[in-house]
Amino acid sequence: MPSGSPTPWSYFFIRLLFKFVLKIFYGTIVVENAHLIPPRGQPCIVCANHSNSLTDALLLVTAIPSKKRNLLRLTAKSTQFGKKTLTSWLIESAGTVPIKRRKDFPDGQADNTTVMLKLIEALECGDAVCLFPEGMSRYHPTIAPLKTGVARLVSDVLSRNRHNPKFEISVLTCSITYMHRQHFRSDVLVTFHEPIRFTPENNPELLDPVDYDKIRALTARMHQQISSGTLDAPSWRLVRDAKLAARMYAPLGTTMSLGDYVRVVRTFLEAFKLAERPIPESGSEGETVKKEGALEDFKIRQLSNDLRDYQNQLARWGIKDDRIRRPLSRPIILYRIFVRFSWSLVLLSISIPGLLLWFPVFVTTFIAVSRFKSTGPIWDTWDEIAQYKLIYGLVSGACVWGGSVLLTLPVAPLTAVLVPAAMWMSLRWLEDAVSAFRAFLALARMLLRIGQRRLHEMRAVRARLHARVMELAVGTLGLPPDPEVHFAESGGREKGRVRGRWASKAKYFSVRRRRKRDWNETLRLYDQVDYPEDEY
């Protein structure tokens, strides 16, 4: 049995480095079903959706346990190679294979014959190869149609090893779901699916000469697996509506696991998508069924529209649905305003020394990203924002650390440890300060801008919407009727998740990560609920 290629020192270094950087940039990274990853020495092609440029590859490299795979052979567009940049050096040092895209070579010079041969040889050695079958990264709410390259690669590998009927190659699909892919301290879900296994003995239909329908069928199967674990929508509007429906159905915050939250959002999203599909023509015997289906679709579309209007009003007021769900008296609002404002000032005060160290990092990253955004449209540039933030944050952070050590040479060993510790704790306290101040702003708006009368009217609107959401969830979609109990108990121990009142209090003061109240949170003074316009 092949043992796989040895791990280059540069790959080991890059994996360790970016595991640290990704944990700083993203608040919570949850990996599901890591036990399904084929072990070292078994040929494997890892395929995932591709919406966040280089960050997707780095996330997969760090999400796959080193005990399972010592090396994930990456691929990247050839235009990333040969440049005098840190990104180019990282890509080349990790043993990444360059792929020529037709859009980058309009003269027809996009020949990947040699590259594919390298990938085949790597698989025959027992390596795991990472490919993104969409063929490109883009900032879009839907998964692009998959290219057939992965299926053709499986066919080529099986055909070359037809003399060994037991030779096995696996396709491991993976779904990556970013709550907000480009925002600091957002959350990420990485879900691995059951690998699809192939042997020359069991899959003669994929041996050369192969029927191209079989290639398309395998590609469609991969697309179905990948889309089943993430949010795949034709518009940002539907994603926004589905997230609100999920929060109204199960307003558990992080008591619900991140995986359960994504799956509930996806359940509502699929319902909204189906309701907008054109109804096929049917014969006279199907007219009754057709009318019933049209009526159900109309009800779901109307619910989606009403949820959108409700969310728009919340966004104009600058509050969350939870503020409407839980009515508060004026004295309680005044008390909480005082507590939240005071606590935010305390946390901000103790984090100031560390924030002085973070200031050059934030400024450098902000300038770099602002300049990059101006170079192109949203759909072609926003998928690389996280990549830019990671790279520029890493470089500027390393400069801050190195400069601090040099300026304190007599006690450099102590500074080398204390500076990262101070930066981490100040970031933790800053998150809590921002969260407390965000709550203060929402409560102040409720008291001074909205008023009790309009809040009462909005609660009546929400009550009607909640009843319709529960009817759809339980009656049509088959979701549990008591989400407060079901999702609080389902799932296991998960990063960032809070279970029970004691865990909630303990995690608030945790050194490792803060307690979030909502998986939708980012390090911002406002709730991130809006997306770019669909025309982008």
Side-chain angles (χ1 to χ4, degrees), residues 15 41 76 87 119 172 285 300 304 426 474 523:
R15 185 180 186 278
T87 302
L119 294 179
L172 178 69
E285 67 279 0
I300 295 175
S304 179
S426 66
V474 179
L523 189 58

Side-chain angles (χ1 to χ4, degrees), residues 496-515:
R497 186 181 179 191
V498 175
R499 297 183 70 173
R501 181 165 296 185
W502 170 252
S504 174
K505 302 300 182 185
K507 280 186 178 292
Y508 191 87
F509 297 98
S510 169
V511 174
R512 296 181 61 193
R513 62 180 52 83
R514 68 177 291 268
R515 177 200 66 183

Side-chain angles (χ1 to χ4, degrees), residues 200-251:
E201 182 180 46
N202 296 329
N203 303 96
E205 73 279 2
L206 293 176
L207 299 180
D208 189 48
V210 62
D211 184 352
Y212 204 72
D213 287 340
K214 305 297 182 183
I215 298 294
R216 283 194 288 264
L218 174 55
T219 304
R221 184 179 176 186
M222 290 165 46
H223 191 287
Q224 189 279 327
Q225 275 197 346
I226 294 172
S227 63
S228 70
T230 189
L231 307 180
D232 182 20
S235 68
W236 293 114
R237 171 178 57 83
L238 291 182
V239 174
R240 187 175 185 254
D241 297 345
K243 282 190 173 184
L244 176 59
R247 286 197 297 275
M248 295 187 73
Y249 162 71

Side-chain angles (χ1 to χ4, degrees), residues 360-436:
V361 179
F362 292 156
V363 170
T364 302
T365 305
F366 176 79
I367 293 174
V369 171
S370 297
R371 289 178 176 175
F372 176 70
K373 282 182 179 179
S374 63
T375 62
I378 286 176
W379 60 266
D380 196 36
T381 54
W382 279 35
D383 64 308
E384 297 188 37
I385 290 177
Q387 169 188 320
Y388 266 71
K389 288 182 176 180
L390 287 171
I391 299 298
Y392 279 91
L394 171 62
V395 173
S396 55
C399 290
V400 168
W401 177 79
S404 301
V405 171
L406 289 176
L407 290 173
T408 57
L409 280 178
V411 289
L414 189 61
T415 306
V417 176
L418 290 180
V419 166
M423 293 180 72
W424 171 251
M425 288 311 301
S426 66
L427 179 61
R428 277 281 293 101
W429 293 328
L430 178 63
E431 280 191 285
D432 289 332
V434 169
S435 178

Side-chain angles (χ1 to χ4, degrees), residues 22 242 402:
L22 285 167

Side-chain angles (χ1 to χ4, degrees), residues 14 24-25 31 137 150 192 282 289 294 304 363 381 405 415 432 521 530:
I14 289 170
I24 294 291
F25 186 79
V31 180
S137 173
V150 173
F192 292 102
S282 59
V289 176
S304 179
V363 170
T381 54
V405 171
T415 306
D432 289 332
E521 283 187 22
D530 292 317

